[in-house]
Amino acid sequence: MTAPRFDDPTQWMIPTACVWEVMARKVGNVHPGAAFRDADAVSFLLSAAVVTPNFGSRGDYEDVGGTVLACVRRTRAVVESNTNLGILLLLTPLAHPGAPMDREGFSRHVLNTERCGVAAARDVYEAIRVANPGGLGDAPEADVRAEPTITLLEAMALAADRDLVARQYANGFADVFDFGVPTFLDALRRFGCVEAAVIDAQLHWLAEYPDTLIARKAGAAAAADVQRRAADVLRLGGISSADGRRAGVELDRHLRSDGNRLNPGAVADLITACLFVALRERKVAPTAPFRWAATDWL
């Protein structure tokens, strides 16, 4: 089957990426079988639905920050918690009309002072205040409670060492293009369905990068511990083996043992970005098989 026709392909790519991410039974994250106190799968599905028009109807948007802010305001009209600030900070530049999906071309086209300047920083700061995510804005430099005097790119560079989403603005989305997308596509070839590919990709992300949301909420040692545990799951064969799946289930229990302080939310946002890039590059179709049939998983 061919992809559906829309005036703007982001009208189906963005919700598809968001829906795939939350529907996949990833360790420690919200999915249809696991919720947090202030958010469940429906919260994320509603968030995806309400922000899509800001991309489809604003196909000529020039300012990354303005779109992020408009989408955060739409989201807070339907959910009470921060479900998608990180996702929006990643998807907004990636979904920019005409943006090349090679890293160097993308950086030149979108990650510049015209689209990510001081005005964009002002809107993103306001979006952060509206979304009120845990831990962001606590650094003394470029405090989001103050009026910005630097560009969005400069603000993201200041936060790059403590936030995986901000790091993408500083490195031209290298982790998305060079690590995340190939990792997902490799898993898709091996497993033949989107859900298993997303789960496998998440484990590889967690083993490669300490999740910065965990680090902000529970400390760097906790994030490093999760990284080691994910690497252990992969050493046992990951979700390809019964031992790896058992270890993955144990990792999920650990991540849910302290409320949602160990929620690997930064990696979840990055996975959504990777899914969008794979869709935009036509490396995967929205009609691809989704559900993973494993009976010994979450």
Side-chain angles (χ1 to χ4, degrees):
M1 292 179 65
T2 58
R5 292 182 177 273
F6 291 88
D7 292 338
D8 185 332
T10 58
Q11 290 179 309
W12 62 265
M13 292 176 183
I14 283 178
T16 299
C18 293
V19 168
W20 278 352
E21 185 278 321
V22 75
M23 295 299 288
R25 292 165 290 167
K26 304 186 310 306
V27 296
N29 290 151
V30 169
H31 58 75
F36 297 151
R37 178 186 55 80
D38 59 350
D40 58 14
V42 172
S43 305
F44 286 85
L45 295 173
L46 286 172
S47 301
V50 298
V51 303
T52 299
N54 280 78
F55 296 94
S57 65
R58 295 185 64 195
D60 60 346
Y61 69 85
E62 293 296 326
D63 185 278
V64 167
T67 298
V68 171
L69 177 56
C71 288
V72 166
R73 285 174 170 161
R74 279 179 173 265
T75 301
R76 292 312 293 266
V78 296
V79 298
E80 295 182 351
S81 58
N82 169 38
T83 52
N84 62 4
L85 175 63
I87 290 171
L88 292 168
L89 286 169
L90 293 167
L91 290 186
T92 300
L94 287 171
H96 197 281
M101 286 295 98
D102 67 283
R103 180 155 60 91
E104 292 185 4
F106 169 76
S107 294
R108 287 194 303 270
H109 186 82
V110 183
L111 300 183
N112 52 51
T113 54
E114 179 184 356
R115 309 197 200 286
C116 300
V118 176
R122 185 179 303 113
D123 285 335
V124 167
Y125 280 28
E126 176 62 16
I128 293 171
R129 292 192 291 266
V130 172
N132 194 28
L136 281 180
D138 292 341
E141 316 95 2
D143 189 334
V144 298
R145 290 165 295 225
E147 187 74 5
T149 57
I150 59 177
T151 68
L152 179 59
L153 290 179
E154 291 168 330
M156 290 297 195
L158 288 174
D161 62 344
R162 64 180 186 276
D163 185 270
L164 279 170
V165 172
R167 172 183 158 111
Q168 304 315 303
Y169 283 75
N171 69 14
F173 280 56
D175 303 318
V176 171
F177 288 113
D178 299 343
F179 176 79
V181 174
T183 298
F184 166 73
L185 293 176
D186 175 68
L188 185 63
R189 285 188 291 270
R190 288 186 285 114
F191 292 101
C193 66
V194 171
E195 184 183 27
V198 168
I199 295 166
D200 182 81
Q202 184 211 25
L203 290 169
H204 279 86
W205 271 102
L206 292 175
E208 186 73 18
Y209 302 93
D211 187 281
T212 49
L213 181 59
I214 295 176
R216 287 200 302 274
K217 288 184 173 183
D225 178 63
V226 170
Q227 185 181 16
R228 287 191 296 270
R229 289 171 186 260
D232 288 341
V233 174
L234 294 176
R235 276 193 290 271
L236 289 169
I239 62 171
S240 296
S241 74
D243 287 344
R245 290 191 295 274
R246 279 192 292 271
V249 171
E250 287 300 317
L251 174 58
D252 180 69
R253 291 196 186 103
H254 172 69
L255 295 175
R256 300 185 193 280
S257 63
D258 188 14
N260 65 348
R261 278 166 50 84
L262 298 180
N263 163 36
V267 163
D269 295 341
L270 285 157
I271 286 173
T272 308
C274 294
L275 293 172
F276 175 81
V277 172
L279 286 162
R280 186 159 180 171
E281 289 187 322
R282 302 302 202 271
K283 301 294 187 182
V284 61
T287 53
F290 179 81
R291 185 70 172 174
W292 184 39
T295 58
D296 57 349
W297 190 243
L298 311 181

